Amino acid sequence: MSARRARLGVLVSGGGSNLQALLDAAGQADYPAEVACVLSNVPTAFALERARKAGVRAEVVDHKGFGSKVDFEAAVLGVLADAGVEWVCLAGFMRLVSADFLKRFPGHVLNIHPSLLPAFPGLHAQRQALERGVKVAGCTVHYVDAGTDTGPIIAQAAVPVLPDDDEASLSARILAEEHRLYPLAVRLAVTGAVTLDGARTKVAARVTGDAGALRSPGAPK
Protein backbone atom coordinates (compact mmCIF):
# COMPACT_ATOMS: atom_id res chain seq x y z
CA MET A 1 0.00 0.00 0.00
CA SER A 2 1.38 3.41 -0.95
CA ALA A 3 2.03 5.95 1.80
CA ARG A 4 -0.63 8.58 2.39
CA ARG A 5 0.17 11.93 0.79
CA ALA A 6 -0.41 15.31 2.37
CA ARG A 7 -3.13 17.36 0.70
CA LEU A 8 -2.04 20.81 -0.50
CA GLY A 9 -4.17 23.82 -1.28
CA VAL A 10 -2.29 26.27 -3.50
CA LEU A 11 -3.42 29.91 -3.53
CA VAL A 12 -2.52 31.88 -6.65
CA SER A 13 -3.21 35.19 -8.35
CA GLY A 14 -1.23 35.06 -11.59
CA GLY A 15 0.58 32.81 -14.02
CA GLY A 16 1.33 30.06 -11.56
CA SER A 17 4.83 28.94 -12.52
CA ASN A 18 5.53 27.95 -8.91
CA LEU A 19 2.22 26.09 -8.91
CA GLN A 20 3.47 24.23 -11.97
CA ALA A 21 6.62 23.26 -10.10
CA LEU A 22 4.48 21.81 -7.31
CA LEU A 23 2.22 20.01 -9.79
CA ASP A 24 5.25 18.50 -11.51
CA ALA A 25 6.71 17.38 -8.19
CA ALA A 26 3.37 15.90 -7.10
CA GLY A 27 3.33 13.89 -10.31
CA GLN A 28 6.33 11.90 -9.06
CA ALA A 29 5.44 8.64 -7.33
CA ASP A 30 7.72 9.25 -4.35
CA TYR A 31 6.57 12.82 -3.62
CA PRO A 32 4.86 13.01 -0.21
CA ALA A 33 2.18 15.56 -1.17
CA GLU A 34 -0.55 16.04 -3.74
CA VAL A 35 -2.22 19.22 -4.93
CA ALA A 36 -5.83 18.81 -3.83
CA CYS A 37 -7.07 22.24 -4.84
CA VAL A 38 -5.91 25.41 -6.58
CA LEU A 39 -7.73 28.61 -5.66
CA SER A 40 -7.35 32.04 -7.19
CA ASN A 41 -8.79 35.43 -6.29
CA VAL A 42 -8.37 36.45 -9.95
CA PRO A 43 -10.80 34.76 -12.39
CA THR A 44 -8.44 35.18 -15.36
CA ALA A 45 -5.31 33.81 -13.65
CA PHE A 46 -3.48 31.41 -15.98
CA ALA A 47 -2.64 29.30 -12.93
CA LEU A 48 -6.22 28.00 -13.05
CA GLU A 49 -5.58 26.58 -16.51
CA ARG A 50 -2.46 24.86 -15.23
CA ALA A 51 -4.55 23.20 -12.53
CA ARG A 52 -7.28 22.10 -14.91
CA LYS A 53 -4.73 20.66 -17.35
CA ALA A 54 -3.29 18.62 -14.48
CA GLY A 55 -6.75 17.37 -13.51
CA VAL A 56 -6.70 19.30 -10.24
CA ARG A 57 -9.71 21.07 -8.78
CA ALA A 58 -9.56 24.77 -9.71
CA GLU A 59 -11.70 27.33 -7.88
CA VAL A 60 -12.18 31.10 -8.07
CA VAL A 61 -13.03 33.20 -5.04
CA ASP A 62 -12.88 36.77 -6.32
CA HIS A 63 -12.12 39.13 -3.46
CA LYS A 64 -13.93 41.91 -5.31
CA GLY A 65 -17.21 40.15 -4.71
CA PHE A 66 -17.00 40.43 -0.93
CA GLY A 67 -17.69 43.36 1.35
CA SER A 68 -14.98 42.46 3.84
CA LYS A 69 -11.81 40.47 4.20
CA VAL A 70 -13.52 38.34 6.83
CA ASP A 71 -16.18 37.25 4.33
CA PHE A 72 -13.61 36.67 1.58
CA GLU A 73 -11.46 34.48 3.78
CA ALA A 74 -14.48 32.59 5.04
CA ALA A 75 -15.28 31.65 1.45
CA VAL A 76 -11.67 30.64 0.79
CA LEU A 77 -11.56 28.52 3.93
CA GLY A 78 -14.82 26.86 2.93
CA VAL A 79 -13.34 25.73 -0.39
CA LEU A 80 -10.14 24.50 1.27
CA ALA A 81 -12.12 22.57 3.88
CA ASP A 82 -14.32 20.99 1.21
CA ALA A 83 -11.19 19.85 -0.64
CA GLY A 84 -9.71 18.31 2.52
CA VAL A 85 -6.69 20.61 2.41
CA GLU A 86 -4.11 20.11 5.19
CA TRP A 87 -1.32 22.45 4.03
CA VAL A 88 -1.67 25.81 2.30
CA CYS A 89 0.99 26.99 -0.16
CA LEU A 90 0.95 30.62 -1.22
CA ALA A 91 2.32 30.85 -4.75
CA GLY A 92 2.07 34.40 -6.00
CA PHE A 93 -1.13 35.01 -4.02
CA MET A 94 -1.47 38.77 -3.92
CA ARG A 95 -3.59 38.98 -0.78
CA LEU A 96 -2.30 39.01 2.78
CA VAL A 97 -3.85 36.30 4.93
CA SER A 98 -5.10 37.21 8.38
CA ALA A 99 -4.18 35.83 11.78
CA ASP A 100 -7.61 34.18 11.92
CA PHE A 101 -6.88 32.39 8.63
CA LEU A 102 -3.55 31.15 9.99
CA LYS A 103 -5.26 29.77 13.09
CA ARG A 104 -7.15 27.35 10.84
CA PHE A 105 -3.84 25.91 9.59
CA PRO A 106 -1.41 26.35 12.50
CA GLY A 107 2.15 25.89 11.27
CA HIS A 108 0.82 24.64 7.94
CA VAL A 109 0.93 27.73 5.71
CA LEU A 110 4.00 28.24 3.49
CA ASN A 111 5.07 31.06 1.19
CA ILE A 112 7.86 31.63 -1.32
CA HIS A 113 9.42 35.08 -1.63
CA PRO A 114 11.97 36.32 -4.20
CA SER A 115 14.64 37.56 -1.81
CA LEU A 116 16.97 36.23 0.85
CA LEU A 117 14.78 37.14 3.79
CA PRO A 118 14.82 39.00 6.08
CA ALA A 119 16.21 41.32 3.40
CA PHE A 120 13.70 42.98 1.07
CA PRO A 121 10.28 41.81 2.26
CA GLY A 122 7.10 42.91 0.55
CA LEU A 123 6.55 43.88 -3.08
CA HIS A 124 9.23 44.32 -5.76
CA ALA A 125 11.93 42.51 -3.82
CA GLN A 126 14.15 42.17 -6.88
CA ARG A 127 13.94 45.90 -7.55
CA GLN A 128 14.78 46.58 -3.92
CA ALA A 129 17.85 44.35 -4.21
CA LEU A 130 19.09 46.15 -7.31
CA GLU A 131 18.49 49.57 -5.78
CA ARG A 132 20.56 48.61 -2.74
CA GLY A 133 23.38 47.24 -4.88
CA VAL A 134 23.56 43.78 -3.33
CA LYS A 135 25.87 41.25 -4.95
CA VAL A 136 23.84 38.17 -4.06
CA ALA A 137 20.05 37.76 -4.25
CA GLY A 138 17.79 34.73 -4.12
CA CYS A 139 14.58 33.28 -2.78
CA THR A 140 13.18 32.01 0.50
CA VAL A 141 10.48 29.54 1.51
CA HIS A 142 9.11 30.30 4.95
CA TYR A 143 6.26 29.59 7.29
CA VAL A 144 3.67 32.35 7.18
CA ASP A 145 2.98 34.34 10.30
CA ALA A 146 0.98 37.50 10.94
CA GLY A 147 3.75 39.74 9.59
CA THR A 148 4.78 40.45 6.01
CA ASP A 149 7.40 37.85 5.00
CA THR A 150 8.55 37.54 8.61
CA GLY A 151 7.85 33.86 9.35
CA PRO A 152 10.50 31.24 10.20
CA ILE A 153 12.69 30.33 7.24
CA ILE A 154 12.63 26.77 5.88
CA ALA A 155 15.03 26.98 2.93
CA GLN A 156 16.83 29.50 0.75
CA ALA A 157 18.67 29.57 -2.55
CA ALA A 158 21.09 32.25 -3.70
CA VAL A 159 21.89 33.65 -7.14
CA PRO A 160 24.55 36.16 -8.16
CA VAL A 161 23.55 39.68 -9.12
CA LEU A 162 25.32 40.42 -12.39
CA PRO A 163 26.63 43.88 -13.34
CA ASP A 164 24.19 44.27 -16.25
CA ASP A 165 21.13 42.90 -14.44
CA ASP A 166 17.83 44.69 -14.58
CA GLU A 167 14.70 43.74 -12.66
CA ALA A 168 13.52 41.34 -15.38
CA SER A 169 16.78 39.42 -15.75
CA LEU A 170 17.33 39.11 -12.01
CA SER A 171 13.74 38.02 -11.50
CA ALA A 172 14.11 35.30 -14.13
CA ARG A 173 17.27 33.95 -12.50
CA ILE A 174 15.62 33.90 -9.10
CA LEU A 175 12.46 32.30 -10.47
CA ALA A 176 14.39 29.33 -11.78
CA GLU A 177 15.59 28.71 -8.23
CA GLU A 178 12.08 29.18 -6.82
CA HIS A 179 10.86 26.33 -9.01
CA ARG A 180 13.51 24.06 -7.52
CA LEU A 181 13.25 25.24 -3.94
CA TYR A 182 9.51 25.28 -3.29
CA PRO A 183 8.88 21.56 -3.92
CA LEU A 184 11.87 20.71 -1.75
CA ALA A 185 10.69 22.89 1.12
CA VAL A 186 7.19 21.41 0.90
CA ARG A 187 8.71 17.93 1.09
CA LEU A 188 10.65 18.90 4.20
CA ALA A 189 7.60 20.45 5.86
CA VAL A 190 4.97 17.77 5.19
CA THR A 191 7.27 14.90 6.18
CA GLY A 192 8.18 16.54 9.48
CA ALA A 193 11.82 16.86 8.47
CA VAL A 194 11.72 20.54 9.36
CA THR A 195 10.40 21.66 12.72
CA LEU A 196 9.77 25.02 14.32
CA ASP A 197 12.08 26.20 17.08
CA GLY A 198 10.78 29.60 18.06
CA ALA A 199 11.61 32.03 15.26
CA ARG A 200 13.95 29.48 13.64
CA THR A 201 13.63 26.05 12.07
CA LYS A 202 15.58 22.83 12.39
CA VAL A 203 16.03 20.32 9.56
CA ALA A 204 16.40 16.69 10.61
CA ALA A 205 19.82 15.19 10.03
CA ARG A 206 18.22 12.28 8.20
CA VAL A 207 17.49 14.51 5.19
CA THR A 208 20.92 13.85 3.73
CA GLY A 209 19.68 13.21 0.22
CA ASP A 210 18.26 16.71 -0.07
CA ALA A 211 21.27 18.55 1.31
CA GLY A 212 22.78 19.18 -2.11
CA ALA A 213 19.54 20.68 -3.35
CA LEU A 214 19.77 23.35 -0.66
CA ARG A 215 23.10 24.64 -1.95
CA SER A 216 23.27 27.73 -4.05
CA PRO A 217 24.12 27.34 -7.76
CA GLY A 218 27.86 27.05 -8.10
CA ALA A 219 28.40 26.43 -4.40
CA PRO A 220 31.18 23.98 -3.54
CA LYS A 221 30.09 20.40 -2.90
Side-chain angles (χ1 to χ4, degrees):
M1 181 181 295
S2 60
R4 183 182 176 281
R5 307 171 82 194
R7 294 177 65 81
L8 308 178
V10 185
L11 305 189
V12 295
S13 295
S17 65
N18 273 310
L19 164 65
Q20 189 64 58
L22 293 173
L23 290 169
D24 292 345
Q28 300 170 10
D30 64 343
Y31 197 69
E34 61 181 319
V35 180
C37 178
V38 173
L39 184 148
S40 179
N41 66 309
V42 179
T44 57
F46 183 68
L48 294 166
E49 293 303 314
R50 294 181 186 272
R52 295 179 185 120
K53 184 176 180 180
V56 171
R57 177 175 176 176
E59 299 282 353
V60 175
V61 180
D62 189 344
H63 65 280
K64 295 179 181 178
F66 295 87
S68 70
K69 183 171 185 174
V70 171
D71 291 341
F72 167 67
E73 289 194 342
V76 172
L77 288 167
V79 172
L80 297 179
D82 186 64
V85 166
E86 300 163 305
W87 290 80
V88 176
C89 296
L90 308 181
F93 186 60
M94 302 305 291
R95 308 294 296 179
L96 295 176
V97 296
S98 70
D100 287 337
F101 182 99
L102 296 174
K103 289 177 183 177
R104 294 287 295 271
F105 295 95
H108 280 56
V109 182
L110 309 181
N111 182 49
I112 188 159
H113 182 74
S115 79
L116 294 175
L117 293 173
F120 313 126
L123 297 175
H124 306 299
Q126 304 94 326
R127 185 187 305 170
Q128 293 181 59
L130 290 170
E131 289 174 347
R132 293 299 299 272
V134 301
K135 307 309 179 189
V136 178
C139 54
T140 303
V141 180
H142 63 96
Y143 290 105
V144 178
D145 63 11
T148 301
D149 301 320
T150 55
I153 292 168
I154 298 171
Q156 295 182 302
V159 302
V161 178
L162 304 180
D164 59 349
D165 265 334
D166 58 17
E167 188 175 358
S169 62
L170 180 59
S171 296
R173 193 176 309 112
I174 293 172
L175 189 61
E177 289 303 303
E178 292 180 40
H179 296 163
R180 181 183 64 88
L181 194 69
Y182 211 175
L184 169 60
V186 170
R187 177 189 289 274
L188 295 175
V190 304
T191 59
V194 59
T195 55
L196 285 167
D197 180 21
R200 304 177 66 180
T201 60
K202 292 182 178 180
V203 177
R206 69 176 183 272
V207 193
T208 55
D210 288 324
L214 288 170
R215 295 191 182 97
S216 305
K221 298 182 178 180

